[in-house]
C-alpha cells in the first residue's frame, strides 16, 4: 500500500489557520506545512471546503464531494492525493472514489447520508447475486463507492460516517421500498484497500462491503446500528481474497461479520470464492443474527479462513455456518480459536436449511460441501444452547472438530442437537452429541487442529 499515513497534525493545524486567516499568508503557510509532510503520506492534499462544501448538516454536498474526487484524479500518476474533511456535519448523497486516494475525516467530522432516496442512484444487482438484497431487480448505490480501484484509504482521527438508516428501515418494514437498500461503503473489483480509525453508524443495510476485491485491510473501526434495525450487517467480505479484519468493534442487529461469495446459480457461475481471510481481536454483538457467520450466500466457495481472539456478547448466535440445497459451493478449511462468549442464546450453529433463493430457478441438486471446520479454545458463560448442527440429506457436514470448549450453561438450557453431521471432539463441555464423538475418528481429519496443542484460556 502506497502512502498509508494519517494526516500530520501540523497540516491539520495549517488548514485551520488558513481558514481562520482567509488570506494569502495563511495559504502560503498551508502549502509550506504540506510540503513538510513525513515520508509515506500523500504528496498532494485538498480540503472539501475548497469545492464549496458546507458542514452545517443541512447543505447538500454531493456535488462538492464528486467534484473533489474528480479533481484529485489528476494526481493519480503523481503519488495520489488526500481529500481532507474537517470538523462539521457534511450532508451528502452517494459519491465515487478514485485510485491513489486517501479520504481523511478529522475528529468530529461526520459524513452524513442524505435521507432523500434520489441521492442514492440506482445500479444493477451484483452479478454473483442476480438481484438486490431486499427486492428483485436493481439496487441503490452505496454512500461511498469504489469500482476497479487501486490504493485507496478511508481513514481519520475517529471521524464518523452516518448513513441515517432509520428512514430506509422504515421503508423496508412498510413495504415502501422500490429498490434494495444501499450500504455505507462498497468496493467492487478493487485492490489495496484500507479502512481504518473510523466509526460507522446507522447503515441502511450493510456497513462495509468489499466484493470481488483483494488485499483489503479493515482496522480499528467501530460499527453500530440500532439493535432492532432489519438486516443490518456489519463487515461483509464477499468473493474477496487476502483480507484482514482486526482490532474492531461491531454491534448490529443482524450478522456482525459475515463471509459470503454469491447466491445460488449466480454465485456458482460467477465462480469467485472468498479465501485467505484473517480476523483478529474483534468484539462482536448481534441482537438477532450471528456475531460471526459464513453464508448463507456462499455459492462461489469459502475457504482458508483464520479467526482468532473473538469476544462475543449479548448475541442471538455466536458462530454460524449457513447454507441450503441449491447453493452449491463449499465452506472448508476454517479455523476459529480463542473465543469468549457471554450471554449468547446459541453458541454454535451449522444449518443446511436457509431456504431463501434469488428466484425459483435454483437447482436443489446443487448441494454445498461443508468440511474441515475447526473450533478450538472456546469459553462461554450463560449460554442457552451449546450447539445446533443440522446438515443436508445426501450432503452431511463432515470433519467438524471441537477442541477445548467449555460452556457454562444458563438455567433450563439445552446442550447439543445434531443431525447429518460428523466430526471429532476433545475436551468439550457439555459433552457433545454422538455424531461428534465417533471413536473411529481422530484429530487427523481436522483442519489445523493437529498443528497446535489445545491450550486452555486463562
Amino acid at each position: 500500500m502506497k502512502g498509508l499515513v494519517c494526516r500530520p497534525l501540523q497540516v491539520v493545524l495549517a488548514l485551520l489557520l488558513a481558514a481562520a486567516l482567509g488570506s494569502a499568508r495563511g495559504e502560503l503557510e498551508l502549502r509550506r506545512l504540506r510540503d513538510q509532510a513525513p515520508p509515506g503520506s500523500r504528496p498532494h492534499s485538498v480540503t472539501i471546503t475548497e469545492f464549496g462544501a458546507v458542514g452545517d448538516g443541512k447543505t447538500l454536498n454531493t456535488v462538492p464531494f464528486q467534484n473533489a474526487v474528480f479533481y484529485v484524479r489528476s494526481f493519480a500518476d503523481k503519488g495520489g492525493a488526500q481529500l481532507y474533511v474537517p470538523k462539521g456535519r457534511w450532508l451528502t448523497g452517494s459519491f465515487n472514489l478514485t485510485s491513489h486516494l486517501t479520504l481523511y475525516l478529522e475528529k468530529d467530522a461526520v459524513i452524513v447520508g442524505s435521507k432523500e432516496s434520489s441521492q442514492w442512484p440506482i445500479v444493477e444487482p451484483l452479478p454473483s447475486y442476480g438481484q438486490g438484497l431486499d427486492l428483485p431487480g436493481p439496487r441503490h448505490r452505496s454512500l461511498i463507492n469504489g469500482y476497479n480501484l487501486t490504493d485507496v484509504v478511508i481513514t481519520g482521527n475517529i471521524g464518523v460516517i452516518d448513513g441515517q438508516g432509520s428512514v430506509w428501515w422504515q421503508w423496508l418494514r412498510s413495504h415502501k421500498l422500490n429498490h434494495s437498500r444501499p450500504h455505507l461503503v462498497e468496493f467492487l473489483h478493487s485492490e489495496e484497500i484500507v479502512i481504518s480509525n473510523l466509526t460507522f453508524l446507522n447503515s441502511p443495510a450493510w456497513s462495509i462491503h468489499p466484493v470481488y476485491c483483494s488485499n483489503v485491510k479493515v482496522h480499528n473501526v467501530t460499527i453500530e446500528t440500532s439493535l432492532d434495525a432489519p438486516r443490518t450487517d456489519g463487515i461483509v467480505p464477499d468473493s474477496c481474497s487476502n483480507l484482514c479484519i482486526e482490532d474492531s468493534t461491531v454491534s448490529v442487529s443482524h450478522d456482525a461479520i459475515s463471509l459470503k461469495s454469491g447466491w445460488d446459480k449466480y454465485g456458482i457461475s460467477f465462480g469467485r470464492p472468498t479465501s485467505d481471510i484473517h480476523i483478529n481481536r474483534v468484539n462482536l454483538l448481534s441482537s438477532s443474527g450471528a456475531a460471526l457467520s459464513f453464508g448463507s450466500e456462499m455459492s462461489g466457495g469459502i475457504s482458508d479462513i483464520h479467526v482468532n481472539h473473538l469476544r462475543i456478547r449479548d448475541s442471538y448466535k455466536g458462530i454460524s455456518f449457513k447454507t441450503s440445497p441449491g447453493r452449491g459451493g463449499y465452506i472448508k478449511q476454517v479455523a476459529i480459536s480463542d473465543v469468549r462468549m457471554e450471554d449468547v442464546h446459541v453458541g454454535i450453529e451449522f444449518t443446511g436449511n436457509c431456504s431463501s433463493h434469488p428466484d425459483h430457478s435454483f437447482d436443489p441438486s446443487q448441494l454445498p460441501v461443508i468440511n474441515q471446520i475447526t473450533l478450538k479454545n472456546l469459553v462461554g458463560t450463560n449460554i442457552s444452547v451449546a450447539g445446533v448442527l443440522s446438515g443436508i440429506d445426501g450432503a452431511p457436514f463432515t470433519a467438524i472438530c471441537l477442541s477445548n470448549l467449555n460452556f457454562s450453561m444458563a438455567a433450563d438450557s439445552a446442550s447439543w442437537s445434531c443431525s447429518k453431521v460428523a466430526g471429532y471432539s476433545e475436551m468439550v463441555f457439555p459433552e457433545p452429541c454422538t455424531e461428534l464423538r465417533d471413536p473411529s475418528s481422530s484429530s487427523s481429519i481436522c483442519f489445523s487442529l493437529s498443528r497446535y496443542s489445545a491450550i486452555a484460556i486463562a
Side-chain angles (χ1 to χ4, degrees):
M1 174 64 64
K2 303 174 183 177
L4 183 58
V5 174
C6 290
R7 189 179 190 89
L9 178 60
Q10 64 265 36
V11 177
V12 178
L13 293 175
L15 284 165
L16 298 176
L17 177 63
L21 294 176
S23 65
R25 180 167 61 88
E27 292 295 335
L28 287 171
E29 179 68 6
L30 170 58
R31 293 192 188 100
R32 183 183 72 81
L33 290 176
R34 280 177 178 169
D35 291 341
Q36 294 177 356
S41 61
R42 303 288 189 187
H44 307 278
S45 183
V46 297
T47 306
I48 191 62
T49 53
E50 297 175 35
F51 300 86
V54 179
D56 60 3
K58 300 177 182 178
T59 303
L60 188 63
N61 296 296
T62 309
V63 172
F65 272 105
Q66 292 171 342
N67 288 343
V69 172
F70 181 79
Y71 173 75
V72 300
R73 287 173 59 187
S74 62
F75 299 106
D77 60 349
K78 304 177 182 65
Q82 178 171 262
L83 175 56
Y84 175 73
V85 182
K87 177 181 177 180
R89 292 182 60 83
W90 308 91
L91 181 67
T92 182
S94 172
F95 63 94
N96 291 319
L97 302 180
T98 189
S99 293
H100 311 296
L101 168 70
T102 296
L103 176 64
Y104 187 95
L105 280 69
E106 187 50 88
K107 183 179 179 181
D108 298 323
V110 185
I111 292 178
V112 182
S114 170
K115 292 184 178 180
E116 297 294 329
S117 62
S118 61
Q119 288 294 314
W120 307 68
I122 305 302
V123 295
E124 289 300 309
L126 294 170
S128 58
Y129 281 77
Q131 70 162 57
L133 175 67
D134 307 304
L135 296 168
R139 61 196 183 110
H140 284 279
R141 192 174 70 184
S142 300
L143 183 63
I144 300 175
N145 301 273
Y147 181 82
N148 198 25
L149 302 184
T150 300
D151 179 26
V152 179
V153 181
I154 304 176
T155 189
N157 185 16
I158 316 300
V160 175
I161 299 174
D162 186 346
Q164 297 200 111
S166 60
V167 64
W168 296 91
W169 308 337
Q170 181 180 355
W171 290 335
L172 179 65
R173 291 187 181 111
S174 61
H175 305 287
K176 293 181 179 179
L177 277 178
N178 293 320
H179 303 284
S180 291
R181 293 169 294 157
H183 311 308
L184 274 187
V185 174
E186 183 174 71
F187 285 93
L188 284 81
H189 300 287
S190 299
E191 61 182 7
E192 296 184 18
I193 307 300
V194 174
I195 301 172
S196 67
N197 303 326
L198 293 171
T199 295
F200 297 84
L201 301 177
N202 305 313
S203 175
W206 302 343
S207 293
I208 300 174
H209 184 216
V211 56
Y212 322 140
C213 293
S214 61
N215 301 324
V216 178
K217 182 176 182 179
V218 179
H219 171 77
N220 193 33
V221 302
T222 298
I223 296 173
E224 295 179 359
T225 65
S226 172
L227 296 183
D228 64 353
R231 292 198 66 191
T232 53
D233 288 9
I235 305 170
V236 185
D238 197 342
S239 294
C240 288
S241 60
N242 191 17
L243 179 145
C244 175
I245 302 168
E246 62 183 20
D247 301 312
S248 296
T249 298
V250 184
S251 177
V252 296
S253 67
H254 199 239
D255 296 343
I257 296 177
S258 182
L259 279 64
K260 301 180 183 292
S261 66
W263 203 1
D264 287 5
K265 66 180 183 180
Y266 302 100
I268 295 171
S269 62
F270 194 81
R272 178 154 181 177
T274 286
S275 63
D276 191 15
I277 308 297
H278 296 262
I279 301 171
N280 300 295
R281 300 179 304 277
V282 294
N283 298 296
L284 306 177
L285 184 155
S286 166
S287 60
S288 61
L292 174 65
S293 75
F294 297 76
S296 71
E297 302 90 343
M298 40 64 68
S299 301
I302 298 173
S303 67
D304 192 18
I305 312 299
H306 303 268
V307 182
N308 297 282
H309 302 290
L310 289 188
R311 300 298 177 262
I312 298 170
R313 64 178 180 87
D314 301 322
S315 295
Y316 185 65
K317 300 172 187 175
I319 301 169
S320 176
F321 297 82
K322 303 180 289 185
T323 187
S324 173
R327 289 288 193 268
Y330 54 83
I331 304 174
K332 64 182 182 180
Q333 298 176 344
V334 176
I336 301 172
S337 67
D338 189 8
V339 179
R340 289 184 181 273
M341 299 186 191
E342 182 176 359
D343 301 322
V344 173
H345 182 67
V346 178
I348 299 168
E349 178 191 53
F350 285 75
T351 178
N353 190 34
C354 286
S355 57
S356 62
H357 299 280
D359 51 45
H360 296 295
S361 63
F362 72 95
D363 181 358
S365 68
Q366 292 280 359
L367 299 178
V369 173
I370 311 298
N371 182 50
Q372 287 198 310
I373 312 295
T374 296
L375 296 92
K376 59 187 177 184
N377 303 340
L378 276 66
V379 170
T381 58
N382 197 32
I383 308 299
S384 298
V385 180
V388 178
L389 292 76
S390 178
I392 296 173
D393 284 328
F397 301 166
T398 56
I400 297 171
C401 300
L402 308 178
S403 176
N404 193 33
L405 183 153
N406 192 320
F407 284 166
S408 174
M409 306 301 292
D412 301 322
S413 61
S415 53
W416 299 90
S417 172
C418 301
S419 64
K420 297 179 280 292
V421 298
Y424 169 82
S425 60
E426 61 183 19
M427 295 184 293
V428 175
F429 181 85
E431 186 175 68
C433 43
T434 56
E435 290 86 344
L436 302 181
R437 292 186 285 119
D438 185 348
S440 64
S441 296
S442 72
S443 62
S444 63
I445 69 170
C446 304
F447 177 64
S448 91
L449 184 58
S450 60
R451 305 179 196 175
Y452 308 96
S453 60
I455 301 174
I457 302 174

